[in-house]
Amino acid sequence: MQYDVVVVGGGPSGATAADDLVRSGHRVALLDRLGRIKPCGGAIPPRLIADFFIPDAQLVAKITTARMVSPSGRHVDIPIEDGFVGMVDREHFDAFLRDRAVAAGADLIAGTFVRIDRDADGTHVVYRDKADGTERTLSARLVIGADGARSKVAAQCVPGGDRIPYVIAYHEIVEAPQATATYDPTRCDVIYDGRISPDFYGWIFPHGGQASIGMGSLVKSVDVKQATADLRAAHGLTDCKTIRREGAPIPLKPLDRWDNGRDVVLAGDAAGVVAPSSGEGIYYAMVGGRVAATAAAAKLRTGRIKDLQLARRLFMKEHKQVFRVLGAMQNAYYRSDERRERFVSLCHDVDVQKLTFEAYMNKSLVKARPMAHLKIGIKNLAHLSGLVAVTRT
């Protein structure tokens, strides 16, 4: 059996690519290890819900406030006006996306990617069958690598794919309490504290009757489990029952190339598309899957190798500026606790709050209020230079 496309990896990116391709009439195999859940806060914006037709039943919570917490314990609560942030549990959300692709016509194969072989008959994806451990082969005209930040497909096939920089993320899913003085089931807490993470942040994200508590760091010496335990203790969540623990890499920068100029194109974490500063990945992974499917379909239709470049080109056309701004913000504010204090202080500003969440909800930089952008730029420089005093709660 020969497929038009074999998609390696059945997370949000791979499942989206598979679903789009089968709905456009292509024969698709979706290869996934199954049984593994990625550590993730689980936040998805309204634009994702609309663009990818996510039913309300997949949302385990709707968040209406975000709390930014500084190293000194100060905080600012930012209301999410005229909307909400949806929360999903990756254990069920990823399975929903895979099942939807299968219902549309994709073949779900349970196994682990090993390598890609090529001969006169074409391209062959070799994988280890989950059931019996034997090596088997799927033949395809094209391959989409959507197998995560340490992608084997990227490392083997795409220049630079073996050198993706990443942070290690770790979280614990716990049985969440009812609202307390330190926990609100309708609020996401983001903790900027060098004692939790010296170069990223910690989080407490409600998942209905559960919560995701975790952190990430690029510093290899950081004990992520101890940092998460400290985070739980600081917020009165130590005694909550732990349901599961998960860790995984999160990429820091999109790769310069997403295809091998022949028969492979990357998507999602394998292409490095996680937003700097926020670490948000689900929306960008699904967009990455969609543009990879678009590029693959174009290549299959025209036979032009250069059409595989459409994936990166389409993604960057819409999101490059957002990634650039978020990257600059991370570089400016995450380097020390003194800078983190000033970042949380800046978050008190109403212009910052409104534009931040308008951009988050719509996934684009808001251009409707140029004077507000100018004011924010001036305030940002003032905070970074220390010209303004740190705002106290």
Side-chain angles (χ1 to χ4, degrees):
M1 180 186 299
Q2 184 181 61
Y3 292 95
D4 292 320
V5 182
V6 170
V7 180
V8 180
S13 185
T16 298
D19 188 57
D20 280 6
L21 283 165
V22 293
R23 291 180 189 278
S24 61
H26 296 92
R27 190 170 184 83
V28 179
L30 180 58
L31 174 66
D32 191 72
R33 290 184 292 176
L34 300 179
R36 186 180 181 280
I37 309 165
K38 182 181 177 181
C40 179
I44 61 173
R47 182 171 172 182
L48 183 153
I49 295 170
D51 286 359
F52 297 96
F53 306 104
I54 304 304
D56 199 63
Q58 282 299 313
L59 304 183
V60 294
K62 294 182 178 181
I63 302 304
T64 55
T65 305
R67 169 170 287 186
M68 308 298 178
V69 184
S70 78
S72 66
R74 297 179 307 104
H75 67 262
V76 53
D77 288 351
I78 304 176
I80 302 170
E81 298 178 353
D82 302 321
F84 63 89
V85 175
M87 304 302 297
V88 297
D89 189 320
R90 293 290 295 272
E91 178 181 14
H92 306 294
F93 184 67
D94 290 18
F96 160 77
L97 295 175
R98 285 192 294 269
D99 290 346
R100 185 164 69 176
V102 170
D107 290 341
L108 180 61
I109 311 295
T112 302
F113 173 83
V114 177
R115 66 182 182 276
I116 294 177
D117 290 339
R118 297 175 180 89
D119 58 24
D121 294 325
T123 300
H124 312 286
V125 174
V126 180
Y127 70 97
R128 187 169 293 106
D129 187 82
K130 185 177 178 69
D132 58 21
T134 60
E135 285 195 0
R136 301 188 181 186
T137 300
L138 299 168
S139 296
R141 298 167 66 188
L142 292 175
V143 177
I144 292 178
D147 51 334
R150 287 188 284 212
S151 165
K152 290 184 178 180
V153 175
Q156 293 180 20
C157 300
V158 177
D162 58 342
R163 299 187 300 274
I164 301 177
Y166 56 83
V167 300
I168 293 296
Y170 173 81
H171 81 157
E172 297 175 357
I173 297 292
V174 305
E175 286 186 358
Q178 298 298 314
T180 68
T182 56
Y183 177 79
D184 184 339
T186 65
R187 185 187 72 216
C188 283
D189 290 3
V190 184
I191 298 90
Y192 299 99
D193 187 341
R195 292 166 295 186
I196 301 300
S197 173
D199 57 337
F200 208 54
Y201 63 81
W203 69 80
I204 301 174
F205 286 0
H207 284 188
Q210 302 175 0
S212 164
I213 307 171
M215 52 76 65
S217 178
L218 182 64
V219 180
K220 294 182 179 180
S221 61
V222 171
D223 186 334
V224 296
K225 293 184 178 180
Q226 184 58 53
T228 301
D230 294 342
L231 183 57
R232 290 179 64 168
H235 291 264
L237 299 170
T238 298
D239 294 333
C240 294
K241 179 182 177 181
T242 301
I243 298 171
R244 65 178 192 264
R245 299 177 174 88
E246 296 148 359
I250 297 178
L252 292 173
K253 181 182 178 182
L255 288 176
D256 293 332
R257 280 191 64 175
W258 293 9
D259 71 276
N260 69 341
R262 181 175 181 178
D263 54 6
V264 173
V265 63
L266 304 177
D269 282 10
V273 291
V274 171
S277 179
S278 68
E280 182 192 359
I282 300 177
Y283 171 77
Y284 295 109
M286 294 179 73
V287 172
R290 176 150 290 172
V291 296
T294 299
K299 165 61 172 65
L300 291 169
R301 183 177 66 254
T302 67
R304 294 192 301 255
I305 293 296
K306 68 177 183 179
D307 283 344
L308 292 179
Q309 298 172 15
L310 278 172
R312 191 179 193 279
R313 192 180 307 145
L314 290 172
F315 186 93
M316 289 301 178
K317 181 179 180 180
E318 184 169 2
H319 301 293
K320 182 178 181 178
Q321 189 176 5
V322 172
F323 273 50
R324 182 178 294 160
V325 170
L326 291 176
M329 187 175 76
Q330 180 172 332
N331 291 334
Y333 285 109
Y334 286 18
R335 62 179 60 182
S336 70
D337 275 356
E338 191 274 335
R339 290 285 184 95
R340 294 184 184 96
E341 287 286 347
R342 293 193 173 277
F343 174 67
V344 174
S345 179
L346 180 64
C347 289
H348 280 272
D349 187 88
V350 174
D351 286 325
V352 172
Q353 294 179 11
K354 288 185 177 180
L355 287 179
T356 296
F357 274 99
E358 285 177 17
Y360 173 80
M361 307 281 265
N362 299 307
K363 283 291 163 279
S364 62
L365 293 179
V366 182
K367 301 177 181 178
R369 298 199 301 275
M371 287 306 298
H373 280 283
L374 178 60
K375 287 165 60 181
I376 288 172
I378 294 171
K379 292 170 184 175
N380 185 48
L381 289 173
H383 278 79
L384 282 173
S385 64
L387 293 176
V388 297
V390 174
T391 301
R392 302 294 174 183
T393 300

